[in-house]
Amino acid sequence: MSGRVLILGGTAEARALAAELQGAGIAVVSSLAGRVARPRLPVGEVRIGGFGGTEGLATWLREHAVAAVVDATHPFAQRISASAATAAAATGTPLLRLERPGWTAGSGDHWTWVDDLDEAARAVNAAAARRVLVTSGRQGLAAFAALDAWCLIRCVDPPDAPLPRAHQVVLDRGPYTLAGERALLREHEVDLLVTKDSGGDHTAPKLQAAREAGIEVVVVRRPPRPVTSTVADVARAAAWAVAQVSG
């Protein structure tokens, strides 16, 4: 086998894929954006930080004998996915998107879908919520700075100002349990939840807890992605990557 696979990572799926390919004897480099202070590291070689834009990524692909790229970034990491699509096309490098399925509302859910965090803040005001759990990450919280509602902000690293006038920050990372999410909503008397459509099981228990409590959920839709081949599970991504390297 020749060449290596670049995994644009930072997700549980990316870490699982790196382990799968390492086990198959494939040379793997996992790239992390470096936005989390203490990231969970995958097995194998890891690089942290940006490539210097699309041209920088294209140069890196050429200089490091990359046989294939798997974009396994977070569903909201829009910029790096766009760069990957352009750089892969410019260098003739095969590209696959590994993306977990989004969430779907079920019976008993009270969801309001919005396109971005600014619209999410307007939805919070429209709902006249008093106590809001915000789980949209530490970036973009300025959209909620003018809210009158009290906000419980949960994120991995400390967020930057501006923040809601009345708030509390909880530093934590998933996976979360249903019992823990029930207790969090109850303890803080949350009457509305704001989340992004991240998908997956690690952070889904909050949705079930909200359903059980009759709490409204404001869900931010995923941003548009470049059109590329996409799979939803690690096994299919691993098989594709092995085929690119060995073919």
Side-chain angles (χ1 to χ4, degrees), residues 4 21 44 63 66 72 130 132 177 185 204-205 247:
R4 66 180 71 187
L21 294 179
E63 292 179 349
V66 174
R130 298 180 304 105
V132 182
T177 65
L185 297 180

Side-chain angles (χ1 to χ4, degrees), residues 124 127-133 149-150 185 188-193 213-217:
V124 171
R130 298 180 304 105
R131 299 178 68 83
V132 182
L133 172 59
W150 179 87
L185 297 180
H188 294 280
E189 300 179 340
V190 170
D191 58 6
L192 188 143
L193 166 65
I215 292 173
E216 182 177 350
V217 182

Side-chain angles (χ1 to χ4, degrees), residues 91-210:
T91 58
T93 307
L95 170 68
L96 181 74
R97 171 80 182 150
L98 171 57
E99 182 172 273
R100 69 187 74 141
W103 290 319
T104 302
S107 177
D109 284 322
H110 304 282
W111 290 10
T112 298
W113 287 90
V114 297
D115 289 329
D116 54 36
L117 292 178
D118 289 330
E119 190 177 349
R122 292 194 292 271
V124 171
N125 282 332
R130 298 180 304 105
R131 299 178 68 83
V132 182
L133 172 59
V134 180
T135 63
S136 57
R138 69 186 182 92
Q139 296 182 322
L141 290 172
F144 303 101
L147 288 183
D148 292 326
W150 179 87
C151 293
L152 179 65
I153 300 169
R154 184 169 69 188
C155 46
V156 175
D157 292 322
D160 296 325
L163 299 174
R165 290 188 287 263
H167 72 272
Q168 177 180 337
V169 174
V170 174
L171 299 182
D172 197 4
R173 77 168 87 201
Y176 301 102
T177 65
L178 179 56
E181 299 294 66
R182 286 169 174 159
L184 185 73
L185 297 180
R186 183 173 59 251
E187 176 185 349
H188 294 280
E189 300 179 340
V190 170
D191 58 6
L192 188 143
L193 166 65
V194 175
T195 186
K196 291 179 175 179
D197 181 21
S198 299
D201 298 329
H202 283 200
T203 60
K206 63 189 174 187
L207 301 174
Q208 182 175 343

